[in-house]
Amino acid sequence: MRQSETLGRMPVLSIMAAILLGGHTAVGQTTPAQAAPTPGASAATAEAGKPQWKPEAAGLTLHMIGNSHIDAVWLWPLAEGDAVVHSTFRSALDRMKEDPELTMTTSSSQFYEWVEASDPAMIAEIRKHVASGRWNLAGGWWVEPDVNVPSGESLIRQGLYGQRTLQRIFGRRAIVGYNPDSFGHTGNLPQILKLQRLPYYVFMRPNALEKPAITQNLFQWQGIDGTRTLTYRIPLFYDDPAAVRNHMERTIDALHGQPERIDMEFFGIGDHGGGPTKENMRSIRQIQTEPGAPKIFYSTPERYFAEVKNKLPADIQVYQGDLQHHSVGTYTAGSAIKKLNRSTEAMLLTAEKFSAIGSAAWGATYPKEEFTKAWQRVLLLQFHDGMSATTLPEHFDAARDAFGRARDIALTATTVSLQRLAWQIPTTDPASKYLVVFNPHAWPVKKEVEYDLGWDANIPAQVEDENGRALPFQWVNATTVVTNRRGLVAEVEVPAMGYRQIRVRRAEQTTPRPAEAPHATEDSLENSHLRLSFSNDGGINLYDKDTKREVFANTSGGMRAVVMDDPSDTWSHHVRAYDKEVGVFQRTGLKILEDGPLRARIRETRSYNASTLTIDWILYAGSSMLDAQVTLDWHEHLKMLKFSYPVNITNPKVTTEIAYGALARTNEGDEDPGQRWIDLTGTGDDQPYGLAVINDAKYGYSVLGNDMRVSIARAAVYAHHEPRVLESGVDYQWMDQGVQTFQMQMLPHTGSWQDTNVVRAAEELVSSTPVVYQGIHPGTRKGSDSFLSVDAQDVIVEAVKESEDGNDLIVRSYETAGRPTKATIHMATPAVTWTGDFHAFEIKTLRIDRHTGKVKETDALED
């Protein structure tokens, strides 16, 4: 591909700028071909025209990695990404014909499937080079994803489908994890890589200036569970369209002082494809003849790690934690896409559970091929530029459609399976209404379920379980305005990964309001555990009756909607914290919506400039958690919205959920990525006390002192990349404008976050509770049942699916609290009881023979 066809992110002149941008530069910047002599070249080089190398080059061995990082989607749609993959592979194959030693490295199983579908002859050609070792299959994942936003199970599936596709097409798998362009790397990745049989990892961001705590490019990365993976950080950037010399000289400067003298040097055009160029090849061959030059040769990451793994320096660095921070704005940009991602992940997991268990227990079908297509679509959408929302606006429409396809597959599979089960549960009274409530979790849940029913308001009703026991309920407004349609809210306890039938029938008399019912006034909500009131400064006050403490630290209260200055680009390059407050949403109204025996609800409205917030505050009877249903209508530019929770504690400690685990953070104001919850625990009245905040849509968090904040929305221009400066008067397209909805929960607690059930609460919030309406029919099943359970509070069964080969059952679970535990998993059909030990944050995958009940512990590839 011609250099002029590449878009963006060309290497810049100085080492400092190259490290800061990490390969992300703007169109029109100076390229090496245009640059003056670089810091790595001596004056004699320019004067005499003879190549001379700095002393640091002597004894340095560089594995020359011909490659092309390809953005499946960025400043172009996915269809163009497909075309770029084809042309890049063709170009690389042509270059390999010209030089019989040239090697090629690239990632992403999706790319090979694209080529296989339209050019089988090219795949056959690549297959020969793979067999000879010249074409290196790196990555082992479906694409190069964002690895902060996707869930732990999504990251597992990247390797499951990625490695299986490589095995099918080429007869082998990758052994080097390869994700250079992602904007940060979650702290549980070493364990996930190991479970995918990827003992090595290559990344580029955060770079040396963004993460100075990593002092060696080759180091041992230790994850949250203790797993280590040998990891290589690309010193500068992954592409070079011109002569290799300039880039190599900068690399030598960047490697100065490193203990490892065997490194990798990446060359070839990237982002919009291209691969190794003729000029790259000419330059490499020339340098090989020059005295004083490093020892260089064509190689692959796989060959590099094979050489260095047995030559590691005794003082090789061991780094613990995640790899942050780069482009912190990507945690929040693109609110709609991020919410769709989280809810679609949950829908697919629920569908797989009930389809897999149903295929064994009640004759349901398991649509394996459809599930595979749905997951692969979601994994493609998790490509780092797509999931980070740094693309053109057109991609957002395409992504919504693609998520919709996956969601439809999940919803259809769930409905088909559960309808089949519900049909087997008898209903006997034509004057009653019957619902079956399902629980996708491996522990019993007490859930407030909602369903619109046709019921005459003049007829008193009673809601009861299968044994005739009365259940707490109340009528609310239906979601439609149609005769006799009423909204039912009922509290139902559902067995672990099972169901319970409930019946709505005529009551003999009206049920009196229970003493423990919540209560709403014009400016407060209260139940037996919590009292909510509204501060004068736009926030809320929350009183914990159990501990007799105010949850928030000042009179301004909590969940203030704070507007921050945010002049940065879409990525927020060079930003570590959003720390300049420019305004706050002010309260404009309070209104009681519900004051029933089961729940009370107050609607609060707030405004800032042209933007509005509508928050429905909800308290359930007997609940220790405050719920909020939020609607934001956002019309700001170059601003960020954060919800502020100043917790009334001293010595605060921060923890955020990450993929299949949790990680302690600092409280110095940095913007951090996280999954569904954040917790701030410290000391209150001489005992441990804290607040956990759970949500169903957000991924950005920060804490300064005891002020815990959730990042709600940004307002950048689509794909605005420094150093491009926005001009006044231009009609730019602004991100995240208009209405978005999400849910939040506040959970005050004594003791540590590990003992609050915060992970289970997050699972219950994000995973919807399926409810099936029944007609009148016979049946032989009992009114409630459980099909799978786990007895350990700290162990979550996240995935139950059918094996990719055969029809065994796969059960994946993980330890959530960061402490060793023992757990017993019981499955009803087939009758299986398995007991095992979990170390801190351990992920376990069990393979169960549905015919014999035999259980084998396996890895993420299910072998």
Side-chain angles (χ1 to χ4, degrees):
M1 179 163 296
R2 299 190 307 271
Q3 180 178 328
S4 60
E5 293 178 66
T6 65
L7 291 177
R9 287 186 263 193
M10 303 291 284
V12 294
L13 175 60
S14 71
I15 294 175
M16 182 66 71
I19 292 177
L20 279 172
L21 293 176
H24 278 258
T25 65
V27 177
Q29 285 189 256
T30 306
T31 67
Q34 302 165 323
T38 66
S42 68
T45 303
E47 293 176 2
K50 295 180 180 180
Q52 294 186 16
W53 293 88
K54 289 181 118 180
E56 290 85 351
L60 181 64
T61 297
L62 295 178
H63 288 247
M64 303 301 296
I65 312 298
N67 84 109
S68 179
H69 165 73
I70 301 173
D71 284 319
V73 61
W74 181 35
L75 304 181
W76 44 84
L78 281 168
E80 185 171 336
D82 189 336
V84 168
V85 167
H86 282 71
S87 61
T88 299
F89 285 11
R90 181 70 270 155
S91 175
L93 290 167
D94 290 345
R95 301 292 80 74
M96 293 172 80
K97 290 176 183 176
E98 296 165 1
D99 189 327
E101 294 181 359
L102 177 65
T103 55
M104 177 64 177
T105 295
T106 193
S107 68
S108 304
S109 295
Q110 173 71 89
F111 295 171
Y112 294 112
E113 270 212 351
W114 281 345
V115 175
E116 181 187 43
S118 56
D119 196 342
M122 188 187 297
I123 282 292
E125 195 174 350
I126 294 172
R127 189 179 291 117
K128 293 178 181 178
H129 287 307
V130 169
S132 71
R134 292 182 63 198
W135 190 291
N136 191 203
L137 302 176
W141 289 349
W142 194 246
V143 293
E144 291 182 27
D146 180 282
V147 284
N148 286 322
V149 172
S151 68
E153 187 60 24
S154 286
L155 295 179
I156 289 285
R157 301 301 176 99
Q158 285 281 351
L160 175 64
Y161 297 118
Q163 292 281 49
R164 286 183 59 82
T165 297
L166 295 181
Q167 184 71 46
R168 178 184 62 79
I169 296 176
F170 301 107
R172 59 159 296 173
R173 299 165 174 160
I175 65 169
V176 178
Y178 185 74
N179 195 19
D181 212 36
S182 189
F183 308 140
H185 307 261
T186 187
N188 207 8
L189 205 50
Q191 180 182 195
I192 292 171
L193 289 164
K194 179 181 179 181
L195 292 173
Q196 297 164 343
R197 303 190 188 180
L198 294 164
Y200 313 112
Y201 192 55
V202 176
F203 78 103
M204 185 174 69
R205 304 187 180 94
N207 57 45
L209 293 184
E210 294 164 332
K211 196 72 175 180
I214 298 176
T215 59
Q216 301 174 8
N217 292 317
L218 181 68
F219 62 98
Q220 294 280 11
W221 180 18
Q222 180 169 311
I224 59 174
D225 78 314
T227 299
R228 293 181 180 181
T229 188
L230 188 57
T231 301
Y232 183 83
R233 176 168 64 184
I234 299 173
L236 297 179
F237 32 80
Y238 48 67
D239 60 357
D240 190 346
V244 171
R245 185 183 310 277
N246 289 342
H247 187 280
M248 188 180 296
E249 288 170 338
R250 296 175 199 165
T251 299
I252 292 169
D253 283 345
L255 294 174
H256 183 61
Q258 295 275 330
E260 179 59 53
R261 301 298 291 165
I262 305 173
D263 285 275
M264 286 189 278
E265 172 83 352
F266 289 76
F267 68 94
I269 300 175
D271 295 332
H272 200 245
T277 67
K278 292 184 177 182
E279 177 60 19
N280 292 157
M281 296 156 60
R282 184 206 63 76
S283 180
I284 288 169
R285 290 306 191 190
Q286 173 62 34
I287 292 171
Q288 286 177 327
T289 68
E290 295 172 1
K295 179 183 177 182
I296 64 172
F297 48 87
Y298 293 127
S299 187
T300 66
E302 193 169 321
R303 294 182 196 172
Y304 168 77
F305 283 109
E307 179 175 356
V308 300
K309 68 178 181 179
N310 295 321
K311 302 178 181 178
L312 299 179
D315 60 346
I316 188 170
Q317 183 180 11
V318 177
Y319 176 80
Q320 300 182 44
D322 61 353
L323 305 178
Q324 310 295 348
H325 298 83
H326 180 92
S327 300
V328 300
T330 63
Y331 312 153
T332 303
S335 296
I337 296 302
K338 288 177 168 61
K339 181 181 178 181
L340 277 172
N341 175 73
R342 183 172 292 170
S343 59
T344 305
E345 289 172 330
M347 288 179 68
L348 281 171
L349 290 174
T350 295
E352 286 182 333
K353 287 174 183 175
F354 285 124
S355 297
I357 292 173
S359 68
W362 62 82
T365 58
Y366 188 86
K368 184 184 298 184
E369 184 176 344
E370 289 295 295
F371 282 146
T372 298
K373 290 179 181 177
W375 272 112
Q376 288 176 346
R377 203 64 182 167
V378 170
L379 300 180
L380 175 58
L381 293 170
Q382 290 174 344
F383 183 81
H384 56 272
D385 279 307
M387 188 50 58
S388 298
T390 56
T391 60
L392 296 180
E394 291 86 343
H395 176 68
F396 286 66
D397 294 330
R400 277 189 287 268
D401 293 341
F403 273 121
R405 178 185 179 189
R407 295 165 72 85
D408 183 60
I409 289 171
L411 180 60
T412 300
T414 301
T415 302
V416 168
S417 178
L418 298 187
Q419 286 281 8
R420 184 178 181 92
L421 175 57
W423 186 254
Q424 299 171 18
I425 306 168
T427 56
T428 57
D429 179 17
S432 298
K433 304 287 185 180
Y434 293 88
L435 301 172
V436 183
V437 182
F438 294 89
N439 174 15
H441 310 295
W443 60 91
V445 300
K446 183 179 287 187
K447 193 73 174 177
E448 293 80 15
V449 298
E450 299 187 42
Y451 198 90
D452 280 8
L453 282 171
W455 190 269
D456 191 331
N458 296 313
I459 300 176
Q462 176 170 314
V463 179
E464 58 189 29
D465 66 12
E466 76 282 7
N467 297 316
R469 183 176 65 92
L471 302 178
F473 81 98
Q474 71 185 56
W475 296 109
V476 298
N477 290 331
T479 53
T480 57
V481 185
V482 179
T483 304
N484 290 340
R485 297 298 289 185
R486 305 183 74 188
L488 174 71
V489 183
E491 184 180 83
V492 186
E493 187 166 341
V494 191
M497 211 164 284
Y499 68 90
R500 169 154 276 128
Q501 183 190 63
I502 65 172
R503 175 189 180 192
V504 185
R505 66 173 179 85
R506 177 189 288 267
E508 301 302 324
Q509 59 186 7
T510 303
T511 304
R513 184 183 180 95
E516 66 273 14
H519 183 57
T521 70
E522 291 183 353
D523 58 1
S524 69
L525 281 177
E526 188 169 359
N527 69 3
S528 56
H529 297 287
L530 298 173
R531 181 172 66 243
L532 167 71
S533 59
F534 297 88
S535 72
N536 295 324
D537 298 319
I540 62 168
N541 294 316
L542 189 62
Y543 183 72
D544 184 342
K545 293 183 174 183
D546 297 328
T547 60
K548 298 179 174 57
R549 287 183 56 79
E550 291 288 348
V551 174
F552 300 118
N554 54 50
T555 57
S556 296
M559 202 159 151
R560 293 171 60 243
V562 181
V563 183
M564 314 300 295
D565 186 40
D566 180 14
S568 59
D569 65 10
T570 310
W571 287 256
S572 288
H573 282 110
H574 315 310
V575 173
R576 289 293 296 268
Y578 302 93
D579 53 11
K580 183 180 179 182
E581 185 173 324
V582 296
V584 64
F585 277 72
Q586 297 293 336
R587 183 172 300 112
T588 57
L590 290 170
K591 179 182 180 182
I592 299 174
L593 297 184
E594 298 171 15
D595 188 23
L598 181 57
R599 78 180 183 193
R601 178 195 298 245
I602 287 182
R603 174 164 294 172
E604 178 191 11
T605 54
R606 306 181 191 179
S607 68
Y608 173 83
N609 290 343
S611 301
T612 59
L613 265 173
T614 303
I615 308 171
D616 282 5
W617 297 103
I618 302 172
L619 267 181
Y620 288 94
S623 176
S624 299
M625 194 154 47
L626 175 64
D627 288 67
Q629 295 181 357
V630 184
T631 299
L632 169 66
D633 190 4
W634 182 241
H635 296 281
E636 306 307 312
H637 297 168
L638 299 181
K639 294 182 177 68
M640 170 180 267
L641 174 61
K642 282 179 169 283
F643 285 173
S644 165
Y645 304 84
V647 187
N648 184 21
I649 55 175
T650 57
N651 304 313
K653 305 295 183 185
V654 188
T655 308
T656 57
E657 183 183 43
I658 64 172
Y660 274 152
L663 189 66
R665 303 287 193 187
T666 71
N667 63 339
E668 298 173 355
D670 283 351
E671 189 75 4
D672 288 312
Q675 295 272 318
R676 301 168 298 185
W677 57 267
I678 182 171
D679 180 86
L680 193 64
T681 296
T683 303
D685 295 333
D686 298 321
Q687 64 175 339
Y689 191 80
L691 175 69
V693 176
I694 309 165
N695 73 85
D696 69 346
K698 304 303 174 184
Y699 294 90
Y701 304 92
S702 64
V703 180
L704 181 61
N706 68 337
D707 189 357
M708 176 171 61
R709 297 189 170 190
V710 181
S711 299
I712 303 301
R714 295 186 63 219
V717 172
Y718 283 97
H720 169 213
H721 197 304
E722 66 166 17
R724 181 70 180 270
V725 176
L726 300 180
E727 302 174 18
S728 62
V730 176
D731 186 18
Y732 293 109
Q733 294 192 57
W734 296 88
M735 300 183 69
D736 291 338
Q737 303 294 287
V739 174
Q740 57 175 282
T741 62
F742 53 95
Q743 298 181 77
M744 307 191 82
Q745 294 176 328
M746 279 163 273
L747 178 58
H749 61 85
T750 56
S752 68
W753 68 264
Q754 288 95 332
D755 298 324
T756 66
N757 276 335
V758 62
V759 181
R760 287 188 173 187
E763 291 276 340
E764 292 174 20
L765 175 67
V766 174
S767 299
S768 61
T769 302
V771 180
V772 173
Y773 179 89
Q774 291 185 284
I776 303 301
H777 54 73
T780 58
R781 283 195 176 271
K782 55 186 180 180
S784 67
D785 207 353
S786 171
F787 300 100
L788 187 149
S789 63
V790 62
D791 67 344
Q793 175 180 305
D794 295 345
V795 172
I796 297 288
V797 175
E798 187 73 353
V800 182
K801 62 185 289 291
E802 195 171 276
S803 60
E804 298 300 311
D805 289 325
N807 66 346
D808 289 348
L809 295 176
I810 300 295
V811 176
R812 185 152 32 252
S813 56
Y814 75 106
E815 197 282 322
T816 65
R819 54 195 181 191
T821 192
K822 182 185 290 290
T824 296
I825 295 174
H826 174 73
M827 179 175 284
T829 307
V832 171
T833 299
W834 174 89
T835 301
D837 294 316
F838 287 76
H839 64 249
F841 295 125
E842 182 178 8
I843 304 166
K844 280 189 182 292
T845 303
L846 306 179
R847 183 168 181 141
I848 303 171
D849 187 314
R850 70 171 68 216
H851 305 294
T852 66
K854 186 176 181 180
V855 181
K856 294 181 179 179
E857 190 171 337
T858 183
D859 58 23
L861 304 185
E862 303 180 2
D863 290 337

